[in-house]
Amino acid sequence: MNTVLQLVFSGIAMGFVYALCALGIVLIYSSAGVVNFAQGSLVMLGAYIGVTFLTKAGLPVIWSVICSAIIMGFVGILFERIAYYPLRDQGTTIVIISTIGVSVFLNDGVYVLWGRAPLFFPPLLGGPPLELLGARIPPQNIAIAAITMALLLFQTVFFKRTWLGRKMRAVAQDQDTAALMGIKVPRMIDFTFAYSTILAAIAGIFAAPLFFVSPAIAQILSKAFASTVVGGFGSIPGAIIGGLCVGLTETFAAYYLSSAYRDAWAFLLLILFLLVRPQGIFGEIVAEKV
Amino acid sequence: MQRTSFVNRKIVFYLMLIVIAALIPQVVKSRYYMSVLNLAAVYLILAAGLNIYLGYTGMMGFTQVAFWGIGSYASALGMINLKMPFWTALPFAALFTGLIGFLLAIPSMRRLKRFYLSVTTIGFVEITRLILENWESLTKGADGLPGIPRPVLWGIRFNTPHKFYYISLFFVIVLTALSYIIKNSRVGLAMQAIREDELAAEVIGVNTFRYKVLAFTLSAVYGGVAGSLYAHFVGYISPNVYVFQEAVTVLCMVLIGGSGYVGGPIIGALLLTIVPEWLRFMNEYKALVYGAAVVVMAVYMPRGILGATETIRARIRQRFFGEKKASVYPGQ
């Protein structure tokens, strides 16, 4: 069996999950200027909502994804209204703190609704593993890669070609100028939060079959942060490439070096980048705005 | 004239507080409540450390819990493996933790972007826990480290909560006084300038990198002292004490008491260790309540109880005594 190829494919699947979570963080950062520390918990909430639709309501996979995405979109707007909107004129530290509060609330809140036992999430795609050059790839990993690619394509078209997407980009570039052009800035920030939370929901549903559904999923946050820094903070392609880097590094290091320290490798990569190339792969050195 | 009498009144007030605190073991006979107070002291020191870099310097991080763990293990292992007495083990733990904090601060503080620190600290907490769990030859892994010796001084063994309380109280007073001195010194002013506006501080010549590293290192030293006290008070430590949840508890204490105030961590730590004892029925959902409390405090009372009382006092003074609107507090 071709171990290296096998590891590459599972690393890529993990990497895409990290990338989706990282993308949500980057989008919110570029439009609202705050770092969302609740993104990991939103991923976890997405997984819980997804598992509810899938096993309790018995919907097929694709409808579970769509229904959870819609619900999570509204959760995103609610989250923005509670934790960001009242603090939008304050410093960044206080917004970080309030998103941490939401994160802690959600991580414990799911116990109240779904109980303490981790929930089982069936594989997204059944069937026998695919044989490719001596590696066995679970169909689910291919599904994760395919859906993420489709989503990224959709996102590119959406941001480049539609008015809504262009308005959101304008807000991300310069809030004041966007407002002068007649764009409703708070509305666009609402949409950005909603979209980022939808990404979190999809990341959650992808992560769910790889782990069990439990608050442990929320720890994806630190990997997602590592991805954003590795890729270059604030850069959308950076978040994706960073996610893949972290996923691959982690998978290979866990296999060849030490699996007990599995969760540490992403962080070491992060420290390495902060020391050697703090602007990340895609980042450019820009002076901090006054 | 008036000013000196005011200062004297303040000193008398603090001395009275210390005397009352010292008399508590004479009044409270329950071992259980004395244990709670000892734990409150540990949390108070952790919160005071966080206050230096969150409250004074305006940075956000989760490392207190990791420093607490490192301090506990350093002190316990120093006493068990290196046969140090407690009075060497505690400073050893504080210095060792401070050194690690210093080494971590250097890559994290390089950039102006403040959240890099928060991000690296999340990872640091995870790595610390992994090391404590997996370095079994040193830390005995997930089973924990039992039989940590109690402090001995002048032939007195501090083996009951009542006796240990005096050690805790001593360090609480020393470290609170240190926080007070730092806050009112040049160093503290520089830190607060960084909190208000990092770029402006840099422009007027504050070496922001140096003060941020210093604030972080100091908080690590506080964490080390708290860890050492915890290890020798409880007598048993294991990696699953130092979980991320505790970082949020400490954050809550600083926020609720009043971040940036010397007294903030005291009020916060006492409230959040004593009140949950009365509300034990909701222990299961403690984190839920803490999470909600963090959001509510951030939105409505970002400067905590002390900040709110200060605002109210200033408003009353303004309304009834017609004083000009004094600077209530500069916005964070």
Side-chain angles (χ1 to χ4, degrees):
Chain A
M1 213 165 71
N2 193 338
T3 320
V4 173
L5 203 65
Q6 184 100 15
L7 290 177
V8 166
F9 276 103
S10 67
I12 286 178
M14 269 331 292
F16 273 130
V17 175
Y18 297 153
L20 286 178
C21 184
L23 203 56
I25 294 171
V26 166
L27 288 172
I28 290 180
Y29 175 75
S30 52
S31 81
V34 297
V35 182
N36 179 14
F37 276 72
Q39 196 72 15
S41 306
L42 292 172
V43 170
M44 171 209 68
L45 189 65
Y48 268 101
I49 291 179
V51 79
T52 310
F53 277 118
L54 198 68
T55 57
K56 298 264 162 60
L59 291 180
V61 174
I62 188 74
W63 284 105
S64 311
V65 173
I66 292 172
C67 291
S68 344
I70 293 170
I71 291 186
M72 287 297 283
F74 286 107
V75 169
I77 295 178
L78 186 70
F79 163 65
E80 184 249 10
R81 291 287 149 156
I82 292 172
Y84 164 71
Y85 199 70
L87 297 168
R88 63 194 180 284
D89 300 328
Q90 317 268 332
T92 51
T93 305
I94 197 80
V95 182
I96 288 180
I97 289 170
S98 87
T99 59
I100 291 164
V102 170
S103 150
V104 173
F105 182 82
L106 288 179
N107 290 358
D108 227 45
V110 293
Y111 284 144
V112 180
L113 287 179
W114 283 280
R116 284 187 184 261
L119 303 175
F120 173 70
F121 199 105
L124 292 174
L125 267 185
L130 232 71
E131 300 269 350
L132 182 77
L133 301 171
R136 292 160 146 249
I137 309 151
Q140 167 172 287
N141 289 3
I142 297 171
I144 290 178
I147 300 176
T148 312
M149 301 284 224
L151 197 69
L152 293 177
L153 194 69
F154 160 78
Q155 178 185 300
T156 317
V157 174
F158 173 75
F159 278 130
K160 290 258 151 85
R161 300 274 171 217
T162 65
W163 275 107
L164 184 59
R166 285 177 183 164
K167 284 182 188 170
M168 283 163 75
R169 265 169 59 217
V171 170
Q173 252 172 29
D174 189 333
Q175 289 199 9
D176 295 335
T177 316
L180 288 175
M181 299 295 144
I183 296 170
K184 292 194 176 77
V185 173
R187 177 78 44 87
M188 292 308 124
I189 292 179
D190 276 351
F191 281 132
T192 311
F193 270 82
Y195 180 63
S196 302
T197 316
I198 288 172
L199 289 180
I202 295 170
I205 291 173
F206 286 170
L210 303 175
F211 313 102
F212 275 95
V213 181
S214 79
I217 290 186
Q219 286 167 5
I220 210 174
L221 179 76
S222 52
K223 313 288 174 60
F225 275 138
S227 314
T228 56
V229 175
V230 168
F233 203 89
S235 148
I236 289 175
I240 298 153
I241 301 296
L244 292 176
C245 283
V246 171
L248 287 170
T249 308
E250 187 181 88
T251 315
F252 274 89
Y255 187 83
Y256 287 108
L257 297 173
S258 153
S259 62
Y261 287 98
R262 186 186 173 96
D263 291 331
W265 300 117
F267 175 64
L268 288 181
L269 190 68
L270 169 86
I271 293 266
L272 192 73
F273 263 85
L274 282 183
L275 283 173
V276 178
R277 195 177 159 83
Q279 72 273 30
I281 297 173
F282 282 86
E284 35 200 300
I285 305 171
V286 262
E288 197 85 339
K289 271 187 265 182
V290 179
Chain B
M1 187 61 211
Q2 208 198 349
R3 179 149 181 88
T4 49
S5 77
F6 180 67
V7 169
N8 286 340
R9 233 190 310 167
K10 249 184 168 174
I11 290 173
V12 170
F13 175 68
Y14 293 145
L15 284 177
M16 265 169 61
L17 275 186
I18 292 173
V19 170
I20 291 171
L23 287 175
I24 286 176
Q26 309 301 321
V27 183
V28 179
K29 288 289 162 234
S30 149
R31 278 176 71 100
Y32 179 74
Y33 278 107
M34 286 316 291
S35 302
V36 171
L37 281 178
N38 275 301
L39 289 181
V42 169
Y43 278 111
L44 198 161
I45 295 171
L46 287 172
L50 178 64
N51 196 30
I52 292 179
Y53 78 90
L54 172 68
Y56 296 0
T57 325
M59 300 179 294
M60 182 54 217
F62 304 92
T63 37
Q64 274 323 67
V65 58
F67 292 142
W68 182 24
I70 295 170
S72 291
Y73 273 90
S75 186
L77 292 171
M79 232 169 142
I80 295 172
N81 292 1
L82 305 177
K83 309 280 178 256
M84 290 180 183
F86 172 75
W87 303 99
T88 332
L90 186 133
F92 166 70
L95 289 179
F96 182 72
T97 321
L99 179 70
I100 291 190
F102 176 73
L103 292 178
L104 180 69
I106 288 180
S108 321
M109 305 292 178
R110 282 272 284 282
R111 312 291 298 166
L112 275 175
K113 285 189 173 145
R114 291 184 175 195
F115 58 87
Y116 278 10
L117 174 73
S118 318
V119 173
T120 47
T121 58
I122 293 184
F124 180 66
V125 173
E126 253 171 59
I127 286 205
T128 307
R129 193 183 50 81
L130 284 172
I131 291 176
L132 292 183
E133 252 172 38
N134 290 308
W135 195 351
E136 290 189 358
S137 57
L138 186 70
T139 65
K140 301 219 172 90
D143 297 339
L145 204 60
I148 301 163
R150 311 282 177 184
V152 180
L153 183 67
W154 299 312
I156 307 169
R157 264 171 65 83
F158 291 86
N159 53 356
T160 66
H162 282 78
K163 290 182 192 159
F164 201 93
Y165 176 80
Y166 288 103
I167 297 184
S168 304
L169 184 65
F170 171 74
F171 283 104
V172 164
I173 293 170
V174 169
L175 293 178
T176 306
L178 182 64
S179 301
Y180 181 85
I181 294 167
I182 291 170
K183 188 180 177 185
N184 295 297
S185 70
R186 246 185 103 79
V187 175
L189 290 176
M191 288 174 180
Q192 289 166 72
I194 294 172
R195 178 186 76 201
E196 298 307 331
D197 192 333
E198 190 165 341
L199 204 70
E202 197 148 281
V203 168
I204 57 169
V206 175
N207 186 339
T208 55
F209 176 72
R210 187 193 293 166
Y211 285 107
K212 285 194 290 184
V213 170
L214 180 66
F216 198 75
T217 311
L218 276 170
S219 83
V221 170
Y222 276 61
V225 174
S228 173
L229 288 177
Y230 179 82
H232 298 287
F233 172 64
V234 178
Y236 164 79
I237 52 179
S238 81
N240 52 11
V241 173
Y242 313 101
V243 289
F244 190 74
Q245 182 54 51
E246 293 295 331
V248 179
T249 309
V250 175
L251 172 67
C252 257
M253 288 170 177
V254 175
L255 282 182
I256 287 177
S259 83
Y261 295 92
V262 177
I266 301 178
I267 293 180
L270 289 178
L271 264 181
L272 288 196
T273 40
I274 295 170
V275 171
E277 293 298 318
W278 299 329
L279 304 173
R280 217 169 305 154
F281 59 89
M282 54 155 244
N283 237 2
E284 203 177 336
Y285 301 115
K286 212 160 139 185
L288 201 69
V289 177
Y290 280 3
V294 168
V295 180
V296 170
M297 293 304 291
V299 174
Y300 295 104
M301 275 163 75
R303 305 275 285 183
I305 292 174
L306 286 179
T309 52
E310 199 172 279
T311 317
I312 292 167
R313 274 215 317 252
R315 277 211 193 120
I316 291 173
R317 220 179 295 149
Q318 197 185 322
R319 166 159 304 171
F320 295 104
F321 304 103
E323 275 182 31
K324 277 212 189 111
K325 196 170 179 184
S327 64
V328 177
Y329 58 82
Q332 202 169 3

